[in-house]
Amino acid sequence: MPALNRAWLWLGVVLGVGAISPVRAAFTPSALAVNTSYRWTENISRASGAADFRDAAEYELGGQARFVRQLTPRLLARLDLDVAGWICPEYDLLDRLEFGPRLVLTRKIGLGPEAWVLAAETGLTARTGRLDDADSVAARAGLTLSKRFGPWFSTAVSGSWTGQEAKDAAFAVAHYAAEARVNFDPHPRARFSAGVGRRDGTFTVGASEMRFGRALAGALGPRVASYFATVPTATTELFGPGWVSYSVEAEVEEWWCEFSPVLTDRSSLALRYGRAHFTNRVDIEYRQDTVSLSFLYAF
Amino acid sequence: MRFDFLPTTGSVRGSGFWRRLGISLVLGAGFLGGPLAARNGFEAVVVDAAGELVSDVVLSLTPLDGQAMPPSVAGEAKISQIKQEYSPYVTAVRTGTPVEFPNLDTIQHHIYSVSKPKRFEIPLYEPGRSEVVTFDQPGLVVIGCNIHDWMSAYVLVLDTPWFGKTTADGRVSLADLPSGRYRLELWHPRVSKPLSREVTLGTTSGAEPLRLTLALRPDRRLRRAPTPGAGGAY
């Protein structure tokens, strides 16, 4: 059975088990939430050469159903079912639908908002879109340790692993991630957050046909040529005729900052700026900047 | 002489009856003495430093001249968990009062207090359940929910029977107070130090409500609104 079909089967099993009424009853519905966002990405194409940089806006509409159950006085189980639709008017092959379940077990060490909280998370995200090659299922597992310090500060560190199986090997990636974040709440109606992170593993990047061909021909040196000859590639036309998507081993250093004002007790905005800097195994660098504005509403 | 109409155990006779009647009259006079003597009403309006009316301020009057306090009567207060909030936010009770905590939500809660006057914890608190906690020590008790960190409530436990809470118009009124001196105290979740002053009742009548100004700290309640990428509960 092909790997992707196996992943879809697992996703179906998880969703099917979740749909069985005793399981549903065990997880009392807790909340429903929707979000919509606008995201502008500079170098959305993840290209290394400036000539191949493509910038674009994407629009997201998402929803979440959350089921929460306290299993013991200190252990909380949470099941989130997420769905999000993305549209990119400029490069419509990026249009996609993402959905999947996420199970989080949370252990609170003590009582109250200032107690240490350890959360173990696992989830699956299925992706289907206009670009068939990129249809995929990603599994994720992670640990997060968080702590609040009074009403003003809270912080969290997390580590995770993500593995994605896709129709085309160029989109099958796996990486480890570590992140630290700090939140500053100067007022109950405003939050500033910042974080730094690092990811190691394989990532999908891209190049125009001409540039990729030159690299394969040795224009960037024999080391690059021999490495690029071994990586999974796919001609996807994502950002133009002949566009090549390929998977590379890379280290990614990221940082981001965010301002999130509260509109009402149930709604908020989030304005975020983030930067990611990729360095692949043969020292080719890719930079990506993102600005997004999101609206969140919890019912 | 035998008074058969009295519920007796068979030994109440003559002088015994008169003795009991006398004791009853003395106790009754003591109990009714207040209302028959001068009784006072008290009204105040509380504003903050900006002159805005403040609700949820607990005003209490503690007698300084040994005014007789009525005995505690069996009463019960209620703090509901509804729409993932505690309601009311502020409750004032007399020492020894049982407080009911009904969970009116469709989800679980985990009520707790780590405050010295009353430490307790009710985990795995299912929808529809209602437990009673008796607040038997005076002081301030802060209530939280260990699942929903933004949920909070305050219970101010007082020895005096004369207290009240300001409504949305900043007003509080008390009735049936014996004349004399009292220590007036104001408390609010955002006050850094309770306001305290002495007042004397019975010297004036039909006075305007007392206007009291309370300096409040900024609201430091935890955010409830959704946060991007956050886990929500916990």
Side-chain angles (χ1 to χ4, degrees):
Chain A
M1 183 185 290
L4 182 60
N5 289 346
R6 207 166 52 235
W8 277 102
L9 179 66
W10 276 111
L11 181 63
V13 168
V14 170
L15 292 173
V17 168
I20 297 168
S21 58
V23 176
R24 274 208 324 263
F27 286 88
T28 310
S30 176
L32 289 171
V34 292
N35 67 287
T36 181
S37 57
Y38 163 86
R39 187 165 76 182
W40 170 261
T41 305
E42 202 175 285
N43 193 17
I44 195 170
S45 49
R46 287 189 183 168
S48 57
D52 285 350
F53 282 11
R54 301 288 185 275
D55 307 333
E58 293 176 288
Y59 301 88
E60 180 200 14
L61 180 63
Q64 181 187 71
R66 173 165 291 176
F67 304 83
V68 178
R69 184 89 195 157
Q70 195 180 28
L71 302 177
T72 73
R74 297 289 179 271
L75 189 65
L76 192 80
R78 199 184 85 216
L79 177 67
D80 292 341
L81 300 176
D82 298 308
V83 61
W86 288 89
I87 288 176
C88 180
E90 204 163 347
Y91 302 105
D92 62 4
L93 286 175
L94 291 175
D95 294 355
R96 64 199 180 274
L97 183 69
E98 296 172 347
F99 56 93
R102 182 172 48 202
L103 179 67
V104 185
L105 287 176
T106 304
R107 164 90 180 164
K108 201 166 189 182
I109 305 158
L111 285 170
E114 293 191 38
W116 288 91
V117 178
L118 182 63
E121 173 189 335
T122 182
L124 288 174
T125 303
R127 175 198 193 281
T128 181
R130 287 188 194 272
L131 181 65
D132 288 344
D133 286 351
D135 284 358
S136 59
V137 174
R140 184 177 185 275
L143 272 179
T144 301
L145 181 66
S146 57
K147 169 93 175 94
R148 170 170 282 282
F149 300 92
W152 290 40
F153 290 100
S154 57
T155 183
V157 290
S158 61
S160 66
W161 168 85
T162 302
Q164 177 170 292
E165 296 199 34
K167 240 177 193 172
D168 192 287
F171 293 91
V173 295
H175 47 255
Y176 293 92
E179 186 189 77
R181 67 181 287 161
V182 62
N183 304 312
F184 171 51
D185 301 321
H187 188 274
R189 304 197 76 80
R191 164 172 287 187
F192 293 94
S193 303
V196 292
R198 183 187 169 91
R199 285 188 281 163
D200 286 276
T202 49
F203 301 87
T204 304
V205 295
S208 61
E209 185 180 25
M210 186 187 75
R211 186 174 168 83
F212 194 73
R214 284 181 58 231
L216 280 178
L220 302 177
R223 187 167 161 243
V224 172
S226 59
Y227 177 61
F228 277 14
T230 64
V231 299
T233 61
T235 303
T236 56
E237 320 273 330
L238 257 177
F239 300 101
W243 186 268
V244 178
S245 295
Y246 58 104
S247 167
V248 291
E249 291 170 74
E251 295 168 356
V252 184
E253 289 172 353
E254 297 171 294
W255 66 266
W256 55 267
C257 56
E258 184 177 272
F259 171 57
S260 172
V262 170
L263 301 178
T264 70
D265 267 357
R266 293 176 180 275
S267 61
S268 62
L269 290 175
L271 179 63
R272 180 181 172 120
Y273 175 78
R275 169 168 286 191
H277 188 270
F278 296 66
T279 307
N280 75 11
R281 211 179 79 178
V282 288
D283 299 323
I284 292 178
E285 298 182 5
Y286 312 77
R287 200 200 72 213
Q288 193 170 54
D289 295 275
T290 307
V291 178
S292 65
L293 179 65
S294 306
F295 169 76
L296 300 99
Y297 186 89
F299 291 95
Chain B
M1 179 185 270
R2 184 183 175 122
F3 298 89
D4 289 326
F5 57 88
L6 289 172
T8 70
T9 54
S11 62
V12 177
R13 293 170 187 274
S15 60
F17 166 75
W18 292 110
R19 190 172 64 248
R20 288 188 177 203
L21 183 62
I23 291 167
S24 300
L25 287 173
V26 168
L27 290 175
F31 184 72
L32 296 171
L36 292 175
R39 307 297 287 189
N40 303 276
F42 179 84
E43 191 172 12
V45 59
V46 182
V47 295
D48 63 12
E52 297 289 325
L53 300 165
V54 186
S55 61
D56 282 334
V57 177
V58 176
L59 181 150
S60 63
L61 292 173
T62 304
L64 298 175
D65 292 334
Q67 296 95 319
M69 292 196 283
S72 293
V73 290
E76 195 171 276
K78 188 184 284 188
I79 300 173
S80 302
Q81 299 136 78
I82 184 164
K83 295 180 180 172
Q84 298 181 41
E85 297 286 356
Y86 285 115
S87 178
Y89 179 47
V90 174
T91 302
V93 296
R94 197 169 178 193
T95 308
T97 302
V99 176
E100 190 186 350
F101 287 89
N103 180 357
L104 305 180
D105 274 328
T106 55
I107 55 169
Q108 290 175 306
H109 288 295
H110 179 167
I111 304 174
Y112 72 91
S113 158
V114 292
S115 302
K116 209 171 175 184
K118 191 68 188 180
R119 294 178 199 273
F120 69 97
E121 191 178 341
I122 312 173
L124 304 164
Y125 204 42
E126 299 290 339
R129 254 177 79 186
S130 187
E131 295 216 3
V132 173
V133 176
T134 299
F135 290 79
D136 42 18
Q137 297 290 327
L140 177 65
V141 181
V142 184
I143 313 279
C145 173
N146 212 33
I147 299 174
H148 311 100
D149 280 336
W150 64 83
M151 287 176 63
S152 61
Y154 294 85
V155 181
L156 189 61
V157 188
L158 300 160
D159 279 334
T160 176
W162 294 299
F163 58 81
K165 193 176 77 172
T166 58
T167 48
D169 61 0
R171 286 176 182 267
V172 57
S173 56
L174 307 178
D176 220 18
L177 291 139
S179 297
R181 292 181 307 126
Y182 291 84
R183 187 175 70 249
L184 180 154
E185 287 176 301
L186 289 186
W187 179 87
H188 185 272
R190 284 162 51 202
V191 73
S192 51
K193 188 180 169 188
L195 183 150
S196 181
R197 63 187 273 191
E198 189 178 311
V199 294
T200 303
L201 301 185
T203 54
T204 57
S205 61
E208 286 290 304
L210 188 62
R211 189 177 172 87
L212 299 162
T213 302
L214 197 58
L216 298 176
R217 292 176 305 189
D219 192 347
R220 295 307 314 162
R221 270 185 271 187
L222 295 183
R223 168 183 177 136
R224 178 183 173 171
T227 303
Y234 272 21

